[in-house]
Amino acid sequence: MAFVNEDYLKLPGSYLFAEIARRVASFKDANPEANIIRLGIGDVTKPLVPAVVDAMHKAVDEMASVETFRGYGPEQGYDFLRKAVIENDYAPLGVSLDEDEVFISDGAKSDVANIQEIFGKDNIVAITDPVYPVYLDTNVMAGRTGKLEDGRFGGIVYLPCNAENGFVPSLPASKADMIYLCLPNNPTGTTLTKSELKKWVDYARETGAIILFDSAYEAYITEPDIPHSIYEVEGAKECAIEFRSFSKTAGFTGTRCAYTVVPKTVMARTKSGESHPLNKLWNRRQTTKFNGVPYVVQKAAEAVYSIEGRKQIKEIIDYYMTNAKIIRDGLVEAGIEVYGGINAPYIWLKTPNNMDSWEFFDKLLNEANVVGTPGSGFGPSGAGYFRLTAFANRGNTIEAIARIKTRLNLV
Ligand code: PLP
């Protein structure tokens, strides 16, 4: 009989969303009349914008004609999209990149999950806590951790982010080689200023660590001093890999397109001390294991950068961010301590009266018929917090907040 990868067995089942679904279903059974509003969704709800849909239709037509049909494309992405990414997302920030430093992919989830393959197994991983669970789980699968004990995996450097430290993680107190930063953050909705981020870049350059920087939510940044890219910080091109996605920026969660930037100057070493560019290794990995994003989808992504596309997408982001403001302001009026929601579509609240995250989940469901996500599901430092998202429609967002203000008995 074959052997399993026992590292997979260290992972608990994906308890969070299954448990939410179970509790909502049981509440619905008992209260069939209740109008439940979901502010737990981590997915966009607005459709693709017209500029994107038009480009997609045109690309489909090209695929239908022998003269313009395309088969396998370049694994790293078509030049037209790599160029558009550089010209639109980086040049305006004063960041110059070569086309072969940008790798188009089918999602930031797969990229943040797969990137660890090009790193040695002995690297020590640091993650901010709470955080998007993929960074941790994929390193558990790869055998870079010990067992789960008291909610923490052995061998992982957890960097707590909470109200006490203003959601600004401290530099690792012990050695860390691969550092995941998700900014703006899912789930807390908080982020770092450029000078705070610079401390991380300086740390990585001094110690030889690599920063894996997930900026899937950069399009939601509204404040001026917040970096959209880690490469805005001097020296980051020597120590950081950046992940971006069209998912939350342009409603591509079901269409699938993202990209990863691996500057040729980011190096890691062998045990014997030889330096190797990670760009070359990632290129090798992608060309071996990935066959590229569909032409139709890449044409759709290119249209995100057209004048019309940009305008249409901005309207949608403004819509979600107006929802975020409604949620934030309403919760503050209800006397709840709130974070995030200014540079991200996530609002992170401290549960009132020191309730635990699940206790608050039940209270919100029972008294306001509103569903959110318990913070404890995103890491041990999420305990006692709760996440609401700005992706619902305006009517439901307003109604949910009105119910929280009027129905929730918080004293
Ligand atoms: N990174 C973060 C922080 C996310 O929250 C998500 C999705 O929720 C992703 C990446 C996944 O992005 P994609 O849809 O491009 O796979």
Side-chain angles (χ1 to χ4, degrees):
M1 196 189 254
F3 298 109
V4 294
N5 176 349
E6 291 189 30
D7 291 316
Y8 274 62
L9 307 180
K10 292 178 189 160
L11 286 167
S14 52
Y15 159 82
L16 179 66
F17 290 99
E19 181 59 18
I20 291 174
R22 192 192 67 73
R23 292 191 191 207
V24 172
S26 117
F27 177 80
K28 251 184 163 165
D29 276 352
N31 305 274
E33 305 298 309
N35 167 19
I36 294 173
I37 298 179
R38 292 172 192 273
L39 293 190
I41 0 168
D43 194 357
V44 294
T45 51
K46 292 267 182 202
L48 294 174
V49 298
V52 164
V53 174
D54 287 349
M56 242 174 150
H57 280 158
K58 282 191 192 120
V60 169
D61 288 341
E62 284 181 55
M63 294 298 276
S65 153
V66 73
E67 288 80 28
T68 47
F69 167 79
R70 306 197 179 221
Y72 290 125
E75 291 94 343
Q76 305 88 340
Y78 284 102
D79 286 348
F80 65 78
L81 186 54
R82 298 172 103 185
K83 220 179 253 166
V85 163
I86 293 169
E87 279 169 13
N88 294 281
D89 285 344
Y90 291 99
L93 303 176
V95 175
S96 65
L97 290 171
D98 293 338
E99 270 171 50
D100 58 2
E101 295 181 307
V102 176
F103 295 83
I104 308 297
S105 77
D106 63 353
K109 183 179 189 175
S110 27
D111 283 359
V112 299
N114 294 330
I115 198 80
Q116 51 76 29
E117 277 185 31
I118 64 170
F119 289 89
K121 199 168 158 181
D122 296 337
N123 284 304
I124 294 173
V125 172
I127 54 158
T128 54
D129 166 33
V131 83
Y132 182 58
V134 178
Y135 320 133
L136 177 62
D137 288 3
T138 51
N139 278 291
V140 175
M141 291 169 175
R144 246 178 235 109
T145 74
K147 289 208 179 95
L148 181 64
E149 272 171 43
D150 297 328
R152 286 177 174 78
F153 280 96
I156 292 284
V157 177
Y158 287 83
L159 306 164
C161 295
N162 48 39
E164 285 69 47
N165 63 16
F167 299 92
V168 177
S170 300
L171 293 171
S174 54
K175 178 177 158 26
D177 305 303
M178 296 158 62
I179 303 168
Y180 289 86
L181 294 179
C182 173
L183 299 165
N185 188 263
N186 175 15
T188 67
T190 59
T191 189
L192 297 186
T193 61
K194 196 165 167 181
S195 60
E196 286 161 347
L197 186 57
K198 184 172 182 307
K199 291 182 194 153
W200 289 87
V201 170
D202 292 346
Y203 171 87
R205 288 173 76 194
E206 275 160 30
T207 61
I210 304 287
I211 298 175
L212 301 161
F213 190 79
D214 185 346
S215 61
Y217 296 97
E218 68 76 29
Y220 291 82
I221 292 172
T222 62
E223 291 182 320
D225 188 34
I226 307 299
H228 287 249
S229 163
I230 193 165
Y231 304 122
E232 287 177 65
V233 177
E234 202 199 321
K237 274 166 81 175
E238 288 166 30
C239 63
I241 292 175
E242 178 160 294
F243 306 90
R244 290 242 189 139
S245 173
F246 294 93
S247 282
K248 305 295 162 70
T249 305
F252 273 55
T253 52
T255 305
R256 312 303 305 145
C257 197
Y259 63 85
T260 289
V261 177
V262 190
K264 283 176 276 193
T265 37
V266 180
M267 312 289 270
R269 61 181 175 86
T270 60
K271 286 200 171 145
S272 59
E274 244 172 60
S275 278
H276 287 267
L278 290 176
N279 177 286
K280 214 169 155 189
L281 267 60
W282 184 242
N283 189 55
R284 187 70 172 89
R285 192 265 169 212
Q286 290 299 80
T287 49
T288 304
K289 295 197 177 183
F290 182 58
N291 246 338
V293 176
Y295 174 71
V296 171
V297 172
Q298 293 193 55
K299 286 307 274 185
E302 183 191 25
V304 166
Y305 298 114
S306 64
I307 293 169
E308 277 308 298
R310 262 198 292 224
K311 204 171 122 236
Q312 292 162 1
I313 280 155
K314 185 175 179 310
E315 276 169 24
I316 292 181
I317 289 175
D318 289 349
Y319 178 94
Y320 292 139
M321 289 310 282
T322 302
N323 284 351
K325 183 169 171 17
I326 291 167
I327 298 171
R328 259 190 79 92
D329 292 353
L331 294 178
V332 170
E333 281 167 37
I336 295 174
E337 221 177 294
V338 215
Y339 305 93
I342 294 173
N343 296 301
Y346 297 118
I347 293 92
W348 189 242
L349 60 97
K350 179 108 192 59
T351 55
N353 307 327
N354 292 321
M355 266 180 251
D356 92 13
S357 299
W358 282 107
E359 209 181 326
F360 186 71
F361 175 92
D362 288 335
K363 184 174 175 64
L364 201 60
L365 179 60
N366 284 300
E367 294 175 14
N369 309 153
V370 171
V371 179
T373 314
S376 50
F378 298 100
S381 297
Y385 291 89
F386 200 81
R387 190 189 77 174
L388 296 177
T389 80
F391 291 124
N393 71 40
R394 179 66 44 78
N396 279 348
T397 303
I398 293 173
E399 169 66 18
I401 295 306
R403 288 189 202 164
I404 290 173
K405 278 161 66 177
T406 55
R407 294 197 204 164
L408 232 57
N409 182 6
L410 293 174
V411 277

